[in-house]
Short mmCIF file of all heavy atoms in Angstrom, two decimals:
data_model
loop_
_atom_site.label_atom_id
_atom_site.label_comp_id
_atom_site.label_asym_id
_atom_site.label_seq_id
_atom_site.Cartn_x
_atom_site.Cartn_y
_atom_site.Cartn_z
N MET Y 1244 86.62 158.76 91.97
CA MET Y 1244 86.36 160.11 91.54
C MET Y 1244 85.11 160.09 90.66
O MET Y 1244 85.04 159.37 89.68
CB MET Y 1244 87.58 160.63 90.76
CG MET Y 1244 87.47 162.04 90.32
SD MET Y 1244 88.94 162.45 89.37
CE MET Y 1244 89.71 163.56 90.47
N VAL Y 1245 84.13 160.86 91.02
CA VAL Y 1245 82.88 160.90 90.29
C VAL Y 1245 83.09 161.59 88.95
O VAL Y 1245 83.71 162.64 88.87
CB VAL Y 1245 81.80 161.65 91.12
CG1 VAL Y 1245 80.53 161.80 90.31
CG2 VAL Y 1245 81.55 160.94 92.42
N GLY Y 1246 82.58 160.96 87.89
CA GLY Y 1246 82.68 161.55 86.56
C GLY Y 1246 84.03 161.39 85.89
O GLY Y 1246 84.26 161.95 84.83
N ALA Y 1247 84.94 160.66 86.53
CA ALA Y 1247 86.26 160.48 85.93
C ALA Y 1247 86.14 159.58 84.70
O ALA Y 1247 85.39 158.61 84.69
CB ALA Y 1247 87.23 159.86 86.93
N LYS Y 1248 86.90 159.93 83.67
CA LYS Y 1248 86.89 159.13 82.44
C LYS Y 1248 87.83 157.94 82.60
O LYS Y 1248 88.91 158.06 83.15
CB LYS Y 1248 87.35 159.96 81.25
CG LYS Y 1248 86.31 160.90 80.73
CD LYS Y 1248 86.80 161.50 79.43
CE LYS Y 1248 85.64 161.95 78.61
NZ LYS Y 1248 86.05 162.36 77.29
N VAL Y 1249 87.38 156.82 82.10
CA VAL Y 1249 88.23 155.63 82.08
C VAL Y 1249 89.06 155.69 80.81
O VAL Y 1249 88.52 155.93 79.73
CB VAL Y 1249 87.36 154.34 82.08
CG1 VAL Y 1249 88.22 153.11 81.94
CG2 VAL Y 1249 86.51 154.29 83.34
N PRO Y 1250 90.39 155.52 80.91
CA PRO Y 1250 91.22 155.57 79.70
C PRO Y 1250 90.77 154.51 78.71
O PRO Y 1250 90.44 153.40 79.07
CB PRO Y 1250 92.63 155.27 80.22
CG PRO Y 1250 92.59 155.50 81.68
CD PRO Y 1250 91.15 155.27 82.11
N THR Y 1251 90.76 154.88 77.44
CA THR Y 1251 90.43 153.93 76.39
C THR Y 1251 91.67 153.65 75.57
O THR Y 1251 92.60 154.45 75.54
CB THR Y 1251 89.32 154.49 75.47
OG1 THR Y 1251 89.78 155.72 74.90
CG2 THR Y 1251 88.04 154.72 76.24
N ARG Y 1252 91.66 152.53 74.87
CA ARG Y 1252 92.79 152.18 74.02
C ARG Y 1252 92.76 153.06 72.79
O ARG Y 1252 91.74 153.27 72.17
CB ARG Y 1252 92.71 150.73 73.60
CG ARG Y 1252 92.90 149.79 74.78
CD ARG Y 1252 92.85 148.38 74.32
NE ARG Y 1252 94.17 148.06 73.78
CZ ARG Y 1252 94.52 146.85 73.42
NH1 ARG Y 1252 93.69 145.86 73.49
NH2 ARG Y 1252 95.72 146.62 72.94
N THR Y 1253 93.90 153.58 72.44
CA THR Y 1253 94.02 154.39 71.23
C THR Y 1253 94.63 153.53 70.14
O THR Y 1253 95.14 152.44 70.39
CB THR Y 1253 94.93 155.61 71.46
OG1 THR Y 1253 96.25 155.14 71.75
CG2 THR Y 1253 94.41 156.49 72.58
N GLU Y 1254 94.59 154.03 68.91
CA GLU Y 1254 95.19 153.28 67.81
C GLU Y 1254 96.66 153.03 68.06
O GLU Y 1254 97.19 151.99 67.71
CB GLU Y 1254 95.01 154.03 66.50
CG GLU Y 1254 93.64 153.90 65.92
CD GLU Y 1254 93.54 154.48 64.54
OE1 GLU Y 1254 94.57 154.72 63.90
OE2 GLU Y 1254 92.42 154.69 64.09
N GLU Y 1255 97.34 153.97 68.71
CA GLU Y 1255 98.77 153.78 68.98
C GLU Y 1255 99.01 152.57 69.85
O GLU Y 1255 99.99 151.88 69.71
CB GLU Y 1255 99.35 155.03 69.64
CG GLU Y 1255 99.46 156.20 68.71
CD GLU Y 1255 100.07 157.42 69.38
OE1 GLU Y 1255 100.24 157.41 70.60
OE2 GLU Y 1255 100.37 158.37 68.65
N ASN Y 1256 98.08 152.29 70.78
CA ASN Y 1256 98.25 151.15 71.67
C ASN Y 1256 97.99 149.83 70.98
O ASN Y 1256 98.34 148.79 71.50
CB ASN Y 1256 97.33 151.29 72.88
CG ASN Y 1256 97.76 152.41 73.79
OD1 ASN Y 1256 98.90 152.83 73.76
ND2 ASN Y 1256 96.84 152.88 74.61
N THR Y 1257 97.33 149.84 69.84
CA THR Y 1257 97.02 148.60 69.16
C THR Y 1257 97.95 148.34 67.97
O THR Y 1257 97.74 147.40 67.23
CB THR Y 1257 95.54 148.59 68.67
OG1 THR Y 1257 95.36 149.67 67.76
CG2 THR Y 1257 94.58 148.70 69.83
N MET Y 1258 98.96 149.18 67.80
CA MET Y 1258 99.90 149.00 66.71
C MET Y 1258 100.69 147.70 66.90
O MET Y 1258 100.95 147.28 68.02
CB MET Y 1258 100.88 150.17 66.63
CG MET Y 1258 100.23 151.47 66.23
SD MET Y 1258 99.58 151.47 64.56
CE MET Y 1258 101.08 151.56 63.63
N SER Y 1259 101.04 147.10 65.79
CA SER Y 1259 101.79 145.86 65.80
C SER Y 1259 103.01 146.04 64.89
O SER Y 1259 102.94 146.76 63.90
CB SER Y 1259 100.90 144.73 65.27
OG SER Y 1259 101.62 143.54 65.18
N GLU Y 1260 104.10 145.39 65.25
CA GLU Y 1260 105.30 145.44 64.42
C GLU Y 1260 105.85 144.03 64.28
O GLU Y 1260 105.88 143.28 65.25
CB GLU Y 1260 106.35 146.37 65.01
CG GLU Y 1260 107.57 146.52 64.11
CD GLU Y 1260 108.56 147.54 64.64
OE1 GLU Y 1260 108.30 148.74 64.45
OE2 GLU Y 1260 109.56 147.13 65.23
N ALA Y 1261 106.25 143.69 63.07
CA ALA Y 1261 106.85 142.38 62.81
C ALA Y 1261 108.03 142.56 61.87
O ALA Y 1261 108.01 143.42 61.00
CB ALA Y 1261 105.81 141.44 62.19
N VAL Y 1262 109.04 141.72 62.06
CA VAL Y 1262 110.23 141.76 61.22
C VAL Y 1262 110.35 140.41 60.52
O VAL Y 1262 110.27 139.36 61.16
CB VAL Y 1262 111.50 142.05 62.04
CG1 VAL Y 1262 112.72 142.10 61.13
CG2 VAL Y 1262 111.35 143.36 62.82
N TYR Y 1263 110.53 140.47 59.20
CA TYR Y 1263 110.64 139.26 58.39
C TYR Y 1263 111.97 139.23 57.66
O TYR Y 1263 112.53 140.27 57.33
CB TYR Y 1263 109.52 139.23 57.33
CG TYR Y 1263 108.14 139.11 57.92
CD1 TYR Y 1263 107.41 140.23 58.27
CD2 TYR Y 1263 107.57 137.86 58.13
CE1 TYR Y 1263 106.15 140.13 58.81
CE2 TYR Y 1263 106.30 137.74 58.67
CZ TYR Y 1263 105.60 138.88 59.01
OH TYR Y 1263 104.34 138.77 59.54
N SER Y 1264 112.43 138.02 57.38
CA SER Y 1264 113.62 137.81 56.56
C SER Y 1264 113.15 137.46 55.15
O SER Y 1264 112.29 136.61 54.97
CB SER Y 1264 114.44 136.67 57.15
OG SER Y 1264 115.58 136.44 56.36
N VAL Y 1265 113.74 138.17 54.17
CA VAL Y 1265 113.37 137.98 52.77
C VAL Y 1265 114.63 137.67 51.97
O VAL Y 1265 115.64 138.37 52.11
CB VAL Y 1265 112.67 139.24 52.21
CG1 VAL Y 1265 112.41 139.10 50.72
CG2 VAL Y 1265 111.37 139.51 52.96
N SER Y 1266 114.58 136.64 51.13
CA SER Y 1266 115.75 136.34 50.31
C SER Y 1266 115.57 136.93 48.91
O SER Y 1266 114.46 137.06 48.42
CB SER Y 1266 115.98 134.83 50.21
OG SER Y 1266 114.96 134.21 49.48
N GLY Y 1267 116.69 137.33 48.32
CA GLY Y 1267 116.68 137.83 46.96
C GLY Y 1267 116.81 139.34 46.84
O GLY Y 1267 117.01 139.84 45.74
N MET Y 1268 116.68 140.07 47.95
CA MET Y 1268 116.83 141.53 47.88
C MET Y 1268 118.30 141.87 47.74
O MET Y 1268 119.12 141.37 48.51
CB MET Y 1268 116.32 142.20 49.16
CG MET Y 1268 114.84 142.35 49.27
SD MET Y 1268 114.38 143.55 50.54
CE MET Y 1268 114.99 142.82 52.04
N SER Y 1269 118.62 142.75 46.78
CA SER Y 1269 120.02 143.13 46.62
C SER Y 1269 120.24 144.61 46.34
O SER Y 1269 121.38 145.04 46.25
CB SER Y 1269 120.66 142.30 45.49
OG SER Y 1269 119.99 142.57 44.28
N CYS Y 1270 119.14 145.38 46.19
CA CYS Y 1270 119.31 146.78 45.83
C CYS Y 1270 118.09 147.61 46.22
O CYS Y 1270 117.10 147.08 46.73
CB CYS Y 1270 119.55 146.91 44.32
SG CYS Y 1270 118.13 146.37 43.33
N GLY Y 1271 118.18 148.90 45.94
CA GLY Y 1271 117.08 149.81 46.24
C GLY Y 1271 115.81 149.47 45.47
O GLY Y 1271 114.71 149.64 45.98
N HIS Y 1272 115.96 148.98 44.24
CA HIS Y 1272 114.78 148.58 43.47
C HIS Y 1272 114.05 147.44 44.18
O HIS Y 1272 112.82 147.40 44.23
CB HIS Y 1272 115.18 148.15 42.06
CG HIS Y 1272 114.01 147.67 41.26
ND1 HIS Y 1272 113.64 146.35 41.22
CD2 HIS Y 1272 113.11 148.34 40.50
CE1 HIS Y 1272 112.57 146.22 40.46
NE2 HIS Y 1272 112.23 147.42 40.00
N CYS Y 1273 114.80 146.51 44.71
CA CYS Y 1273 114.22 145.38 45.45
C CYS Y 1273 113.44 145.91 46.66
O CYS Y 1273 112.31 145.47 46.91
CB CYS Y 1273 115.31 144.43 45.94
SG CYS Y 1273 116.35 143.72 44.67
N GLU Y 1274 114.06 146.81 47.39
CA GLU Y 1274 113.41 147.40 48.56
C GLU Y 1274 112.10 148.08 48.17
O GLU Y 1274 111.07 147.90 48.83
CB GLU Y 1274 114.33 148.43 49.23
CG GLU Y 1274 115.58 147.83 49.81
CD GLU Y 1274 116.61 148.87 50.22
OE1 GLU Y 1274 116.47 150.06 49.84
OE2 GLU Y 1274 117.56 148.50 50.93
N SER Y 1275 112.12 148.83 47.07
CA SER Y 1275 110.93 149.54 46.60
C SER Y 1275 109.82 148.58 46.18
O SER Y 1275 108.64 148.82 46.48
CB SER Y 1275 111.28 150.45 45.43
OG SER Y 1275 112.15 151.47 45.84
N ALA Y 1276 110.18 147.53 45.48
CA ALA Y 1276 109.19 146.56 45.01
C ALA Y 1276 108.48 145.89 46.19
O ALA Y 1276 107.25 145.76 46.21
CB ALA Y 1276 109.84 145.51 44.12
N ILE Y 1277 109.25 145.49 47.18
CA ILE Y 1277 108.67 144.84 48.36
C ILE Y 1277 107.83 145.84 49.14
O ILE Y 1277 106.71 145.54 49.56
CB ILE Y 1277 109.77 144.21 49.23
CG1 ILE Y 1277 110.32 142.98 48.51
CG2 ILE Y 1277 109.22 143.84 50.62
CD1 ILE Y 1277 111.52 142.36 49.15
N THR Y 1278 108.36 147.05 49.32
CA THR Y 1278 107.62 148.08 50.06
C THR Y 1278 106.28 148.35 49.40
O THR Y 1278 105.24 148.44 50.08
CB THR Y 1278 108.45 149.37 50.16
OG1 THR Y 1278 109.66 149.07 50.89
CG2 THR Y 1278 107.68 150.47 50.87
N LYS Y 1279 106.26 148.45 48.09
CA LYS Y 1279 105.02 148.74 47.36
C LYS Y 1279 103.97 147.65 47.59
O LYS Y 1279 102.81 147.95 47.88
CB LYS Y 1279 105.31 148.87 45.87
CG LYS Y 1279 104.08 149.12 45.03
CD LYS Y 1279 104.42 149.17 43.56
CE LYS Y 1279 103.14 149.29 42.73
NZ LYS Y 1279 103.42 149.18 41.30
N GLU Y 1280 104.36 146.41 47.47
CA GLU Y 1280 103.41 145.30 47.62
C GLU Y 1280 102.93 145.14 49.06
O GLU Y 1280 101.74 144.94 49.30
CB GLU Y 1280 104.02 143.98 47.13
CG GLU Y 1280 104.26 143.93 45.65
CD GLU Y 1280 103.00 144.02 44.81
OE1 GLU Y 1280 101.91 143.63 45.28
OE2 GLU Y 1280 103.10 144.50 43.66
N VAL Y 1281 103.83 145.24 50.02
CA VAL Y 1281 103.46 145.03 51.42
C VAL Y 1281 102.63 146.20 51.94
O VAL Y 1281 101.69 146.01 52.71
CB VAL Y 1281 104.70 144.77 52.30
CG1 VAL Y 1281 104.33 144.67 53.77
CG2 VAL Y 1281 105.40 143.48 51.86
N THR Y 1282 102.92 147.41 51.48
CA THR Y 1282 102.15 148.59 51.89
C THR Y 1282 100.69 148.47 51.45
O THR Y 1282 99.80 149.03 52.09
CB THR Y 1282 102.78 149.87 51.31
OG1 THR Y 1282 104.11 149.98 51.82
CG2 THR Y 1282 102.01 151.11 51.72
N ALA Y 1283 100.43 147.71 50.40
CA ALA Y 1283 99.06 147.54 49.89
C ALA Y 1283 98.20 146.63 50.77
O ALA Y 1283 96.99 146.58 50.61
CB ALA Y 1283 99.10 146.99 48.47
N ILE Y 1284 98.81 145.94 51.73
CA ILE Y 1284 98.05 145.08 52.65
C ILE Y 1284 97.21 145.98 53.56
O ILE Y 1284 97.75 146.91 54.17
CB ILE Y 1284 98.99 144.20 53.50
CG1 ILE Y 1284 99.80 143.26 52.60
CG2 ILE Y 1284 98.20 143.42 54.54
CD1 ILE Y 1284 100.91 142.51 53.34
N PRO Y 1285 95.91 145.72 53.65
CA PRO Y 1285 95.06 146.54 54.52
C PRO Y 1285 95.57 146.57 55.96
O PRO Y 1285 95.94 145.54 56.53
CB PRO Y 1285 93.70 145.84 54.45
CG PRO Y 1285 93.72 145.13 53.14
CD PRO Y 1285 95.15 144.69 52.95
N GLY Y 1286 95.64 147.77 56.54
CA GLY Y 1286 96.07 147.94 57.92
C GLY Y 1286 97.55 148.23 58.09
O GLY Y 1286 97.98 148.66 59.15
N VAL Y 1287 98.35 147.99 57.04
CA VAL Y 1287 99.79 148.26 57.13
C VAL Y 1287 100.00 149.76 57.10
O VAL Y 1287 99.48 150.45 56.23
CB VAL Y 1287 100.57 147.55 56.01
CG1 VAL Y 1287 102.02 148.04 55.96
CG2 VAL Y 1287 100.53 146.04 56.21
N THR Y 1288 100.76 150.27 58.08
CA THR Y 1288 100.99 151.71 58.18
C THR Y 1288 102.38 152.12 57.72
O THR Y 1288 102.58 153.25 57.32
CB THR Y 1288 100.75 152.21 59.62
OG1 THR Y 1288 101.60 151.47 60.51
CG2 THR Y 1288 99.29 152.02 60.02
N SER Y 1289 103.35 151.20 57.79
CA SER Y 1289 104.68 151.50 57.27
C SER Y 1289 105.45 150.22 57.01
O SER Y 1289 105.21 149.19 57.64
CB SER Y 1289 105.48 152.41 58.22
OG SER Y 1289 105.92 151.70 59.35
N VAL Y 1290 106.38 150.32 56.05
CA VAL Y 1290 107.23 149.19 55.68
C VAL Y 1290 108.64 149.70 55.51
O VAL Y 1290 108.85 150.72 54.85
CB VAL Y 1290 106.75 148.54 54.35
CG1 VAL Y 1290 107.69 147.41 53.95
CG2 VAL Y 1290 105.32 148.05 54.47
N THR Y 1291 109.60 149.00 56.09
CA THR Y 1291 111.00 149.33 55.89
C THR Y 1291 111.70 148.06 55.41
O THR Y 1291 111.80 147.08 56.14
CB THR Y 1291 111.66 149.82 57.20
OG1 THR Y 1291 110.94 150.93 57.70
CG2 THR Y 1291 113.11 150.21 56.96
N ALA Y 1292 112.15 148.07 54.16
CA ALA Y 1292 112.87 146.95 53.58
C ALA Y 1292 114.34 147.36 53.44
O ALA Y 1292 114.64 148.42 52.92
CB ALA Y 1292 112.29 146.59 52.22
N VAL Y 1293 115.25 146.50 53.91
CA VAL Y 1293 116.68 146.80 53.87
C VAL Y 1293 117.39 145.66 53.14
O VAL Y 1293 117.52 144.56 53.68
CB VAL Y 1293 117.25 146.99 55.29
CG1 VAL Y 1293 118.73 147.33 55.23
CG2 VAL Y 1293 116.48 148.06 56.05
N ALA Y 1294 117.83 145.94 51.92
CA ALA Y 1294 118.46 144.91 51.10
C ALA Y 1294 119.73 144.35 51.73
O ALA Y 1294 119.97 143.14 51.66
CB ALA Y 1294 118.76 145.47 49.71
N SER Y 1295 120.52 145.19 52.37
CA SER Y 1295 121.81 144.74 52.92
C SER Y 1295 121.65 143.71 54.03
O SER Y 1295 122.53 142.89 54.25
CB SER Y 1295 122.63 145.93 53.41
OG SER Y 1295 121.97 146.59 54.47
N THR Y 1296 120.52 143.74 54.72
CA THR Y 1296 120.28 142.78 55.81
C THR Y 1296 119.25 141.72 55.42
O THR Y 1296 119.15 140.70 56.09
CB THR Y 1296 119.77 143.49 57.08
OG1 THR Y 1296 118.51 144.11 56.79
CG2 THR Y 1296 120.77 144.51 57.59
N GLY Y 1297 118.46 142.00 54.37
CA GLY Y 1297 117.39 141.08 53.98
C GLY Y 1297 116.19 141.15 54.91
O GLY Y 1297 115.35 140.26 54.89
N LEU Y 1298 116.10 142.21 55.69
CA LEU Y 1298 115.00 142.33 56.66
C LEU Y 1298 113.94 143.31 56.20
O LEU Y 1298 114.26 144.36 55.62
CB LEU Y 1298 115.54 142.76 58.02
CG LEU Y 1298 116.51 141.79 58.69
CD1 LEU Y 1298 117.00 142.36 60.02
CD2 LEU Y 1298 115.87 140.42 58.90
N VAL Y 1299 112.70 142.97 56.48
CA VAL Y 1299 111.56 143.83 56.18
C VAL Y 1299 110.79 144.01 57.49
O VAL Y 1299 110.36 143.03 58.10
CB VAL Y 1299 110.64 143.21 55.11
CG1 VAL Y 1299 109.42 144.08 54.88
CG2 VAL Y 1299 111.41 143.00 53.81
N THR Y 1300 110.65 145.26 57.92
CA THR Y 1300 109.91 145.58 59.14
C THR Y 1300 108.57 146.16 58.74
O THR Y 1300 108.51 147.10 57.95
CB THR Y 1300 110.70 146.59 60.00
OG1 THR Y 1300 111.99 146.03 60.29
CG2 THR Y 1300 109.96 146.88 61.31
N ILE Y 1301 107.52 145.60 59.30
CA ILE Y 1301 106.16 146.01 58.97
C ILE Y 1301 105.46 146.50 60.23
O ILE Y 1301 105.40 145.78 61.22
CB ILE Y 1301 105.36 144.84 58.37
CG1 ILE Y 1301 106.05 144.30 57.13
CG2 ILE Y 1301 103.92 145.26 58.09
CD1 ILE Y 1301 105.46 143.01 56.62
N ALA Y 1302 104.94 147.73 60.16
CA ALA Y 1302 104.10 148.26 61.23
C ALA Y 1302 102.68 148.25 60.72
O ALA Y 1302 102.42 148.59 59.56
CB ALA Y 1302 104.53 149.67 61.61
N SER Y 1303 101.75 147.84 61.58
CA SER Y 1303 100.36 147.75 61.16
C SER Y 1303 99.44 148.05 62.32
O SER Y 1303 99.85 148.02 63.48
CB SER Y 1303 100.07 146.35 60.60
OG SER Y 1303 100.37 145.36 61.56
N GLU Y 1304 98.18 148.34 61.97
CA GLU Y 1304 97.18 148.66 62.98
C GLU Y 1304 96.90 147.44 63.86
O GLU Y 1304 96.65 147.57 65.06
CB GLU Y 1304 95.90 149.14 62.32
CG GLU Y 1304 96.09 150.45 61.59
CD GLU Y 1304 94.92 150.81 60.70
OE1 GLU Y 1304 94.00 149.98 60.54
OE2 GLU Y 1304 94.94 151.91 60.15
N GLN Y 1305 96.90 146.28 63.27
CA GLN Y 1305 96.69 144.99 63.95
C GLN Y 1305 97.70 144.01 63.38
O GLN Y 1305 98.22 144.23 62.29
CB GLN Y 1305 95.27 144.48 63.70
CG GLN Y 1305 94.16 145.40 64.19
CD GLN Y 1305 94.11 145.49 65.71
OE1 GLN Y 1305 94.41 144.53 66.41
NE2 GLN Y 1305 93.74 146.65 66.23
N PRO Y 1306 97.98 142.91 64.06
CA PRO Y 1306 98.90 141.92 63.50
C PRO Y 1306 98.44 141.47 62.11
O PRO Y 1306 97.25 141.28 61.86
CB PRO Y 1306 98.84 140.76 64.50
CG PRO Y 1306 98.46 141.41 65.79
CD PRO Y 1306 97.51 142.52 65.40
N VAL Y 1307 99.40 141.32 61.20
CA VAL Y 1307 99.12 140.88 59.83
C VAL Y 1307 99.47 139.40 59.73
O VAL Y 1307 100.51 138.96 60.23
CB VAL Y 1307 99.95 141.70 58.81
CG1 VAL Y 1307 99.71 141.20 57.40
CG2 VAL Y 1307 99.60 143.17 58.92
N ASP Y 1308 98.62 138.64 59.09
CA ASP Y 1308 98.83 137.21 58.89
C ASP Y 1308 100.10 136.97 58.07
O ASP Y 1308 100.31 137.62 57.04
CB ASP Y 1308 97.60 136.63 58.18
CG ASP Y 1308 97.75 135.15 57.91
OD1 ASP Y 1308 97.77 134.38 58.88
OD2 ASP Y 1308 97.86 134.79 56.72
N ASP Y 1309 100.94 136.05 58.52
CA ASP Y 1309 102.19 135.75 57.82
C ASP Y 1309 101.96 135.34 56.36
O ASP Y 1309 102.75 135.68 55.48
CB ASP Y 1309 102.97 134.64 58.54
CG ASP Y 1309 103.55 135.10 59.87
OD1 ASP Y 1309 103.55 136.31 60.16
OD2 ASP Y 1309 104.01 134.22 60.64
N GLU Y 1310 100.89 134.61 56.09
CA GLU Y 1310 100.64 134.17 54.72
C GLU Y 1310 100.25 135.35 53.82
O GLU Y 1310 100.56 135.34 52.62
CB GLU Y 1310 99.56 133.08 54.68
CG GLU Y 1310 100.05 131.76 55.25
CD GLU Y 1310 101.37 131.28 54.64
OE1 GLU Y 1310 101.48 131.23 53.39
OE2 GLU Y 1310 102.30 130.95 55.40
N THR Y 1311 99.63 136.36 54.38
CA THR Y 1311 99.32 137.56 53.62
C THR Y 1311 100.60 138.29 53.24
O THR Y 1311 100.76 138.76 52.12
CB THR Y 1311 98.39 138.49 54.44
OG1 THR Y 1311 97.20 137.76 54.77
CG2 THR Y 1311 98.03 139.74 53.66
N VAL Y 1312 101.54 138.35 54.19
CA VAL Y 1312 102.83 138.97 53.93
C VAL Y 1312 103.59 138.15 52.88
O VAL Y 1312 104.16 138.69 51.94
CB VAL Y 1312 103.67 139.11 55.22
CG1 VAL Y 1312 105.06 139.65 54.91
CG2 VAL Y 1312 102.95 140.00 56.23
N ARG Y 1313 103.54 136.84 53.03
CA ARG Y 1313 104.23 135.94 52.06
C ARG Y 1313 103.70 136.18 50.65
O ARG Y 1313 104.47 136.29 49.69
CB ARG Y 1313 104.04 134.48 52.46
CG ARG Y 1313 104.76 133.49 51.56
CD ARG Y 1313 104.58 132.05 52.01
NE ARG Y 1313 104.94 131.85 53.41
CZ ARG Y 1313 106.19 131.75 53.88
NH1 ARG Y 1313 107.21 131.84 53.05
NH2 ARG Y 1313 106.41 131.57 55.17
N ALA Y 1314 102.38 136.30 50.51
CA ALA Y 1314 101.79 136.52 49.18
C ALA Y 1314 102.25 137.85 48.59
O ALA Y 1314 102.54 137.93 47.39
CB ALA Y 1314 100.27 136.47 49.28
N ALA Y 1315 102.34 138.89 49.41
CA ALA Y 1315 102.78 140.20 48.92
C ALA Y 1315 104.24 140.16 48.50
O ALA Y 1315 104.62 140.71 47.45
CB ALA Y 1315 102.56 141.26 50.00
N VAL Y 1316 105.08 139.50 49.29
CA VAL Y 1316 106.51 139.38 48.96
C VAL Y 1316 106.68 138.55 47.68
O VAL Y 1316 107.47 138.91 46.80
CB VAL Y 1316 107.30 138.78 50.14
CG1 VAL Y 1316 108.73 138.43 49.74
CG2 VAL Y 1316 107.30 139.76 51.32
N ASP Y 1317 105.90 137.47 47.55
CA ASP Y 1317 105.94 136.66 46.34
C ASP Y 1317 105.54 137.49 45.12
O ASP Y 1317 106.16 137.39 44.06
CB ASP Y 1317 105.00 135.46 46.45
CG ASP Y 1317 105.53 134.36 47.36
OD1 ASP Y 1317 106.71 134.42 47.76
OD2 ASP Y 1317 104.75 133.45 47.70
N GLU Y 1318 104.51 138.31 45.27
CA GLU Y 1318 104.04 139.15 44.18
C GLU Y 1318 105.13 140.12 43.73
O GLU Y 1318 105.24 140.45 42.54
CB GLU Y 1318 102.79 139.93 44.62
CG GLU Y 1318 102.17 140.77 43.54
CD GLU Y 1318 101.57 139.96 42.40
OE1 GLU Y 1318 101.16 138.80 42.61
OE2 GLU Y 1318 101.53 140.50 41.27
N ALA Y 1319 105.96 140.55 44.68
CA ALA Y 1319 107.07 141.46 44.36
C ALA Y 1319 108.23 140.71 43.69
O ALA Y 1319 109.14 141.34 43.15
CB ALA Y 1319 107.56 142.15 45.63
N GLY Y 1320 108.19 139.38 43.74
CA GLY Y 1320 109.23 138.59 43.09
C GLY Y 1320 110.33 138.09 44.02
O GLY Y 1320 111.41 137.71 43.56
N TYR Y 1321 110.04 138.05 45.31
CA TYR Y 1321 111.04 137.63 46.29
C TYR Y 1321 110.46 136.53 47.17
O TYR Y 1321 109.28 136.20 47.07
CB TYR Y 1321 111.50 138.83 47.13
CG TYR Y 1321 112.04 139.91 46.24
CD1 TYR Y 1321 111.21 140.90 45.75
CD2 TYR Y 1321 113.36 139.91 45.81
CE1 TYR Y 1321 111.66 141.87 44.87
CE2 TYR Y 1321 113.84 140.86 44.93
CZ TYR Y 1321 112.98 141.84 44.47
OH TYR Y 1321 113.44 142.78 43.59
N GLU Y 1322 111.30 135.96 48.03
CA GLU Y 1322 110.86 134.85 48.87
C GLU Y 1322 110.91 135.22 50.34
O GLU Y 1322 111.96 135.64 50.85
CB GLU Y 1322 111.74 133.61 48.64
CG GLU Y 1322 111.31 132.42 49.45
CD GLU Y 1322 112.22 131.22 49.28
OE1 GLU Y 1322 113.13 131.26 48.44
OE2 GLU Y 1322 112.02 130.25 50.02
N LEU Y 1323 109.77 135.04 51.00
CA LEU Y 1323 109.72 135.28 52.44
C LEU Y 1323 110.30 134.04 53.13
O LEU Y 1323 109.79 132.93 52.96
CB LEU Y 1323 108.27 135.50 52.88
CG LEU Y 1323 108.08 135.77 54.37
CD1 LEU Y 1323 108.57 137.18 54.71
CD2 LEU Y 1323 106.62 135.63 54.75
N VAL Y 1324 111.38 134.23 53.89
CA VAL Y 1324 112.02 133.13 54.58
C VAL Y 1324 111.26 132.84 55.86
O VAL Y 1324 111.05 131.69 56.23
CB VAL Y 1324 113.51 133.45 54.87
CG1 VAL Y 1324 114.15 132.35 55.68
CG2 VAL Y 1324 114.26 133.69 53.56
N GLY Y 1325 110.83 133.88 56.55
CA GLY Y 1325 110.10 133.72 57.81
C GLY Y 1325 110.32 134.94 58.68
O GLY Y 1325 110.94 135.93 58.27
N ARG Y 1326 109.82 134.85 59.91
CA ARG Y 1326 110.03 135.94 60.85
C ARG Y 1326 111.49 135.96 61.30
O ARG Y 1326 112.10 134.92 61.50
CB ARG Y 1326 109.11 135.80 62.05
CG ARG Y 1326 107.67 136.12 61.70
CD ARG Y 1326 106.87 136.34 62.95
NE ARG Y 1326 105.48 136.59 62.59
CZ ARG Y 1326 104.81 137.66 62.98
NH1 ARG Y 1326 105.40 138.56 63.74
NH2 ARG Y 1326 103.55 137.83 62.63
N ALA Y 1327 111.99 137.16 61.45
CA ALA Y 1327 113.40 137.31 61.88
C ALA Y 1327 113.47 137.35 63.39
O ALA Y 1327 112.53 137.64 64.06
CB ALA Y 1327 113.98 138.58 61.29
#
């Protein structure tokens, strides 16, 4: 087809999601502290921390380096166990 546009990748197509296990979370304050630190990582678009499961889900524009996540979780006062 003459003049047809070729689809381009949108930001939605480049989104990344990762789930991490964090030790030491036990309450809403813990969830808030981790959310605050991880949200400050450039490119992170959302963070869901759940104390009852110890899981933190991070959505970002591009994949985030695990060590960057570890540093943010450490700054919040908790320990990143690894990817869930």
